[in-house]
Amino acid sequence: MDIVVKGRKTEVPERFRKHVADKLNLEKIQKLDGKLISLDVEVSKEPNPRQADRCDRVEITLRSRGPVIRAEAAASDPYAALDLAAEKLGARLRKQHDKRYSRRGSRRISAAEVPNHVPDAATLNGNGEAVPSDERDGVPTKKVGSLEIQGDGPLVVREKTHVAAPMTLDQALYEMELVGHDFYLFVDSETKEPSVVYRRHAYDYGVIHLRTDTMVAQTPSPEAGGALGG
């Protein structure tokens, strides 16, 4: 299998292609992911002179029979950006490999089987609220995939709670790039309020701050819960 290197609105010199082949050792990658299908590297350049320290961006996309793994980074030259992206890719590959290894020999149960394995597991109604045991009888139940839903949807199928230390905006942007997401939720170290940084068009970023105000009526706002964009 070959590594596909392409440029987006920029030329990719042969010297850089050779550097990619040396940096991304296929033999080492295949040891971490034996089901590798393709490995693509895309190089792009930001023409804005005010972003000279991040003008070259490298995005690595690894496709296998499992989930797609991406890693990207920006720097003042494509070689430095490639080094940073390769480090991120390696870390994510090792994390994925360790996760697969730790699950070997153990059978994962479906959500529908949870009540059979977890004593006193809660039943959720259509609003995602726990249903008291004396109210469960008589409520219509329907099957959605492997889940049994009592009442009407929508159904919250995943809920996560993270412990987060307050951080600066710059640190939040760094963390977002590190995990390869298009947005990152964090607690602003200055305001101590929840905020979200997100990727806009091209290489711009946006930030949304939430401010709690007990005097504001708790009615839905047209701006609340809007899509990240603009």
Side-chain angles (χ1 to χ4, degrees):
M1 185 196 73
D2 295 328
I3 302 175
V4 178
V5 183
K6 57 184 177 181
R8 178 155 55 93
K9 298 181 180 179
T10 185
E11 294 292 331
V12 180
E14 188 61 30
R15 178 169 169 262
F16 182 79
R17 295 179 185 273
K18 292 180 179 179
H19 183 68
V20 170
D22 294 336
K23 190 69 179 180
L24 302 179
N25 189 311
L26 281 177
E27 184 178 348
K28 187 178 295 186
I29 291 175
Q30 287 174 329
K31 286 182 180 179
L32 296 173
D33 191 340
K35 300 178 180 179
L36 182 64
I37 297 175
S38 66
L39 186 60
D40 299 332
V41 177
E42 183 176 272
V43 185
S44 57
K45 195 170 187 67
E46 169 58 50
N48 189 343
R50 290 182 296 179
Q51 298 188 19
D53 59 332
R54 297 170 57 87
C55 62
D56 288 287
R57 177 174 293 271
V58 172
E59 179 178 340
I60 306 172
T61 303
L62 184 152
R63 293 181 174 84
S64 67
R65 296 179 187 176
V68 175
I69 300 177
R70 286 191 176 88
E72 61 179 292
S76 57
D77 67 81
Y79 294 91
L82 175 65
D83 291 347
L84 292 173
E87 289 179 8
K88 293 179 184 180
L89 180 72
R92 291 170 191 168
L93 273 172
R94 287 190 292 273
K95 182 178 179 180
Q96 188 71 19
H97 176 268
D98 293 343
K99 185 185 296 185
R100 286 196 302 268
Y101 182 80
S102 64
R103 288 178 177 172
R104 288 179 183 174
S106 61
R107 187 181 74 86
R108 299 178 64 187
I109 64 174
S110 66
E113 297 178 280
V114 169
N116 299 328
H117 294 266
V118 182
D120 301 324
T123 301
L124 302 181
N125 63 12
N127 296 321
E129 301 168 341
V131 179
S133 58
D134 57 351
E135 295 181 10
R136 293 175 188 171
D137 295 334
V139 178
T141 302
K142 61 183 178 180
K143 193 86 170 179
V144 177
S146 61
L147 300 178
E148 288 187 355
I149 304 174
Q150 288 190 320
D152 298 326
L155 174 71
V156 177
V157 295
R158 177 177 293 181
E159 180 177 343
K160 291 185 178 180
T161 301
H162 296 279
V163 178
M167 64 178 66
T168 64
L169 176 60
D170 287 344
Q171 180 65 21
L173 287 170
Y174 173 79
E175 295 290 342
M176 182 181 72
E177 293 288 353
L178 186 62
V179 298
H181 291 171
D182 290 329
F183 68 93
Y184 190 82
L185 175 64
F186 70 104
V187 177
D188 193 293
S189 58
E190 293 185 5
T191 64
K192 302 300 186 293
E193 299 284 2
S195 302
V196 173
V197 290
Y198 61 95
R199 195 188 313 280
R200 300 177 72 249
H201 301 294
Y203 303 106
D204 295 334
Y205 299 96
V207 59
I208 297 174
H209 299 288
L210 293 182
R211 183 178 60 189
T212 56
D213 190 342
T214 57
M215 300 302 293
V216 177
Q218 295 184 3
T219 56
S221 167
E223 297 179 359
L228 299 181

